Amino acid sequence: MADSPRAALIGCGFFARNHAHAWRDLGVDLAAVCDTDAGKARAFAETFGGTPYSDVETLLRSERLDFVDVATGAASHRALVETAARHGLPVICQKPLALNLEDARAMVGACREAGVAFMVHENFRWQTPMRAAKAASERLGRLHFGRIVYRTPYDVYRDQPYLLTDERFVLTDVGVHALDLARFFLGEVAWVAAHTGRVHPRVRGEDTATVLLGLASGGSGVVELSYGAKTERDLFPQTLVYLEGERGTVTLGADYEVTVVLDEREGFHSGLEQVSVERLRAAPPPRPWTAPPLDVVQDSVLNIQRHWLDCLREGRAPETSGEDNLGTLEAVFAAYDAAERGTVVHLAPRPEEARA
Ligand code: NAD
Ligand code: 89V
C-alpha cells in the first residue's frame, strides 16, 4: 500500500467529519466522498476534499482506491460492505455493524470470500483511557469481575436525532461499545441476563439497560447504560470502568483518572496491608479538531484508524475485525432476548480464530 493510501468515505453526516479529520492527520488521500444526499456530499468535499458522489456503485467504478470507509447508519451497512467486497476493496465500517446477526454474518462472509480485510469502527476500546486501563489490568493476574458504567443525562438527540425514533436504542448504539469493552477487558461472554427500560417519554426504544454477564473465564461482569441519569455533573461520553483481579483492582474514574491498587505477592492474600496505590491521568491528547465533551471519542477515531492502516500494511487482522465483532453483537442481541424473555441466554462458544 502507498504511503498515502487512497480512500473513499461513504456517508457525510454528523460523525463522518471525525473520520475525515483523522484520515487527514494520518496522511490518507480522501479521493472520494459519497452521500445519497448529493448536497451533503458536495459540502463535505468542499471541506475535506475528494470527488463527491451520491451513488456508491458509480464511485467504485470510477475511482482507484486502497480501501472504503463506511460511516452511514446501520441499516445501509450490509449493502455498502458487500458492494465494497465485490469490488475487491478492504472495508472499515462504523458500529453498530448491523441490526441483526444475519446481516452481520453475511458481511463477514462476503469479505472473507472476497479475500478483503474487514474491520468494524468499534472505537471505545481505542480511547486513550481504555488503553491505559487495559495495560494496568494486565498486572492484576486473573480477572474475576468487571463493571462498565455509562450513565448520563446528555441530550444526545440534538446531534443524533435518529436515536429518538430507532426501534432499539441504547443497547444497539452504546451497548455495542460497552459490551465490546467488557470483551476487551474480561474476555468472551458465556451468558447474559438483562433488564431494559425507558425513562425519556419521547424516545421510542430503550434508553436504559442493565446487563449481567457470565464470562467464559468463569468470572462475571455488569454493564450499565442510561440516558436518564440526572447526575450532579454530566460526564458524557465518559465510560467508567472497575476491574477486579486476584492481585488488585483497576478503576477508570471521572476525568480519566486511572487508579491501580496492587498486592504484588504471588497468589491471593486477604487484607490491605501490602497494597500499593498508583494514580495516573489518561486524558485524550488535545487536537485542533477535537473538543470536549466528545474529544475522548474523537481521539479514539484517530487511534482506531491508525490501527487499520497498520493492519493493512502488515497484513494482519484488526483487533475489531468483522469476525471479532460478531462476539460483541452476539452479546448485544442476547441481551435484548434476555430482557424480553426475562431469562438467561447462553451464547455459543466463540471459534478460536475469531479471537485472533
Ligand atoms: P447521520 O445520519 O448524521 O449520517 C449518516 C449519513 O449517511 C447521512 O448523511 C445519510 O444521507 C448517509 N447515507 C445513508 N445511506 C447511505 C448510502 N447508502 N450511501 C451513501 N450515503 C448514505 O449519522 P451519524 O450520526 O453520522 O452516524 C453514522 C454512523 O456512525 C452510525 O452507525 C452511528 O451509530 C455511528 N456513530 C458512531 C460514533 C462512535 O463513537 N463510534 C458516534 C456517532 C455515530
Ligand atoms: O457512539 C455513538 O454512536 C454515539 C455516542 C458517542 C454519542 O455514544 O451515539
Side-chain angles (χ1 to χ4, degrees), residues 12-18 40 71 159-160 162 294:
C12 299
F14 163 68
F15 204 68
R17 303 179 67 79
N18 300 308
K40 269 184 162 179
D159 291 326
Q160 296 174 264
Y162 51 87
L294 216 56

Side-chain angles (χ1 to χ4, degrees), residues 253-312:
D255 304 322
Y256 317 114
E257 186 171 86
V258 179
T259 307
V260 188
V261 178
L262 262 186
D263 183 333
E264 306 269 13
R265 291 172 290 175
E266 276 306 312
F268 181 81
H269 300 270
S270 296
L272 289 176
E273 292 79 12
Q274 293 204 36
V275 301
S276 62
V277 181
E278 294 169 34
R279 289 182 215 284
L280 59 118
R281 251 193 112 235
R287 303 180 198 286
W289 51 275
T290 66
L294 216 56
D295 52 349
V296 68
V297 172
Q298 293 171 309
D299 170 60
S300 76
V301 169
L302 185 84
N303 295 340
I304 194 172
Q305 291 182 190
R306 185 191 290 113
H307 174 64
W308 168 250
L309 295 177
D310 289 346
C311 290
L312 280 186

Side-chain angles (χ1 to χ4, degrees), residues 31 52 104 116 120 139 166 180 187 194 215 276-277 296 318 326 347 355:
V116 298
V120 181
R139 299 162 68 194
D166 281 352
D180 188 66
L215 303 166
S276 62
V277 181
V296 68
L326 292 178
L347 276 67
R355 299 194 190 113

Side-chain angles (χ1 to χ4, degrees), residues 13-15 35-36 40 71-72 94-96 123 160 162 177 297:
F14 163 68
F15 204 68
D35 200 293
T36 42
K40 269 184 162 179
T72 62
Q94 255 301 338
K95 52 58 61 177
N123 46 29
Q160 296 174 264
Y162 51 87
H177 292 311
V297 172

Side-chain angles (χ1 to χ4, degrees), residues 71-151:
T72 62
S76 56
H77 287 172
R78 179 170 174 180
L80 292 168
V81 168
E82 289 180 346
T83 304
R86 214 168 36 249
H87 283 260
L89 287 165
V91 55
I92 168 172
C93 180
Q94 255 301 338
K95 52 58 61 177
L97 179 59
L99 300 175
N100 58 66
L101 279 172
E102 188 191 339
D103 283 351
R105 288 180 181 136
M107 286 181 249
V108 171
C111 290
R112 190 193 298 120
E113 274 162 37
V116 298
F118 180 32
M119 182 176 92
V120 181
H121 203 297
E122 180 38 80
N123 46 29
F124 271 34
R125 68 160 71 189
W126 284 96
Q127 292 177 9
T128 294
M130 296 304 170
R131 298 320 266 197
K134 174 73 175 175
S137 76
E138 278 158 9
R139 299 162 68 194
L140 301 182
R142 201 181 72 82
L143 301 186
H144 52 258
F145 178 76
R147 186 166 57 231
I148 315 287
V149 177
Y150 180 98
R151 310 196 81 95

